[in-house]
Amino acid sequence: MDSIPGAAKDFEQPYEKLKNSLKAMGSCAVAFSGGVDSTFLLDSACQVLGERACAYTAVTVSMPEREIERAERFCRERGIRHILVEVNQMAVEHFPENPPDRCYYCKKAIFTKLLEEAHKDGYSSVADGSNMDDCGDFRPGERALRELGIRSPLREAGLWKSQIRYLSSLRGLATAHLGSAACLASRIPYGDMITERKLEMAEKAENVLADMGFKNLRVRIHGNLARIELNQTDMEKMNSAGVREKVCAAFEKIGFVYTALDMKGYRTGSMNEAL
């Protein structure tokens, strides 16, 4: 678990602010990916609003199937109303061309669709799981959220990722220790065309590593080369007897000619380093 900043008083106040904010909404449709942040937000919304809270998951070509299954399982086990909204991502303007502000166009299209469905179903607000950690880095998608009036209750309450993980643990949420997730399009360098084939290759490659026990990881696609990002501790495992050969063989079956291990290790937003 991430270290917790300060004593309990450091997150009690923002947590109370979150609950008060959700209560003031009256009803809420949570954009639900099944990750750490949206799961905690959905759980909190259901705690405060009951049946006036609902989960909406955008089903896109860049969302891994395992994440969709995890989101469905969470809602099913807890009896939460869960709406799957199909979005044709490849038809979104500028998405296939993959410019640096790709996320703006993508989130604009996805959340426009979620807003339409949520308002049609009678929900007053649509909320996403952005938090204080999302205030940094290069995030063009945030502009789309602002333009559409999407609420970000976790960030509005001043909650950081480490606090969300801790509170998730207190609430008994399995996602408390889940690694950070990101859409599969983030595996492709800006300017390289996004295709369904590339997204499928990235998903299959990451599933191979996950099934072998690797935790936080990314497989970035550079032409016919797969660049693997792992935690520093997992790098040693990659070099253990037979593991490297098994990974290379599996990646070749997926369609990669070359497989490389990034010496800097796992980090979110590594494609932004080239900007």
Side-chain angles (χ1 to χ4, degrees):
M1 183 188 302
D2 293 356
S3 59
I4 306 304
K9 60 182 175 62
D10 289 328
F11 58 81
E12 284 178 350
Q13 184 175 353
Y15 185 42
E16 286 303 313
K17 186 176 180 181
L18 169 66
K19 290 190 289 185
N20 291 334
S21 177
L22 290 169
K23 183 178 180 180
M25 287 184 191
S27 64
C28 179
V30 175
F32 184 55
S33 68
V36 179
D37 306 315
S38 66
T39 297
F40 174 70
L41 176 60
L42 178 61
D43 182 70
S44 299
C46 290
Q47 179 189 10
V48 173
L49 298 170
E51 293 183 356
R52 291 172 294 157
C54 178
Y56 282 75
T57 298
V59 179
T60 67
V61 70
S62 71
M63 185 173 186
E65 186 175 336
R66 290 185 179 186
E67 292 183 19
I68 296 174
E69 291 172 352
R70 183 173 61 240
E72 289 185 300
R73 184 167 56 252
F74 179 84
C75 291
R76 183 173 59 251
E77 291 174 351
R78 293 180 176 247
I80 299 172
R81 187 182 182 213
H82 188 204
I83 309 297
L84 298 178
V85 181
E86 298 277 350
V87 178
N88 184 0
Q89 215 169 14
M90 299 305 295
V92 172
E93 182 184 20
H94 300 305
F95 177 80
E97 292 85 353
N98 197 18
D101 58 350
R102 174 202 70 236
C103 198
Y104 167 78
Y105 298 102
C106 188
K107 284 206 170 185
K108 189 72 174 285
I110 289 174
F111 277 88
T112 294
K113 183 67 173 177
L114 293 183
L115 274 171
E116 291 174 356
E117 295 299 319
H119 288 164
K120 185 170 62 179
D121 291 340
Y123 293 95
S124 61
S125 302
V126 173
D128 87 312
S130 298
N131 59 74
M132 294 299 292
D133 286 55
D134 297 316
C135 293
D137 201 5
F138 175 65
R139 296 182 180 273
E142 296 297 317
R143 179 161 62 96
L145 300 184
R146 290 194 303 270
E147 290 176 358
L148 293 171
I150 303 299
R151 297 288 299 273
S152 298
L154 302 179
R155 183 164 54 196
E156 293 169 14
L159 283 163
W160 295 82
K161 190 83 163 189
S162 57
Q163 296 171 317
I164 293 167
R165 288 189 183 278
Y166 181 66
L167 288 165
S168 295
S169 181
L170 291 181
R171 299 272 310 158
L173 301 176
T175 49
H177 309 288
L178 190 68
S180 297
C183 97
L184 292 169
S186 66
R187 311 320 194 250
I188 302 170
Y190 295 120
D192 286 6
M193 288 291 293
I194 295 175
T195 66
E196 293 190 32
R197 171 62 177 155
K198 290 179 182 178
L199 298 175
E200 180 185 12
M201 289 173 69
E203 181 175 10
K204 286 183 176 179
E206 292 187 355
N207 286 344
V208 166
L209 297 178
D211 290 343
M212 292 177 68
F214 291 101
K215 300 301 181 182
N216 291 333
L217 61 94
R218 293 287 187 269
V219 176
R220 316 287 186 180
I221 297 181
H222 302 267
N224 56 12
L225 180 146
R227 174 169 60 87
I228 301 173
E229 296 178 11
L230 298 174
N231 285 336
Q232 294 296 327
T233 53
D234 276 343
M235 287 189 183
E236 297 178 11
K237 177 180 177 179
M238 179 62 76
N239 286 314
S240 59
V243 173
R244 185 174 65 246
E245 292 79 7
K246 184 177 180 180
V247 170
C248 288
F251 277 33
E252 285 178 8
K253 287 184 179 179
I254 292 170
F256 293 106
V257 177
Y258 306 104
T259 301
L261 182 62
D262 189 319
M263 300 305 290
K264 285 186 177 181
Y266 166 80
R267 61 235 187 249
T268 59
S270 72
M271 290 305 194
N272 295 336
E273 296 168 4
L275 297 178

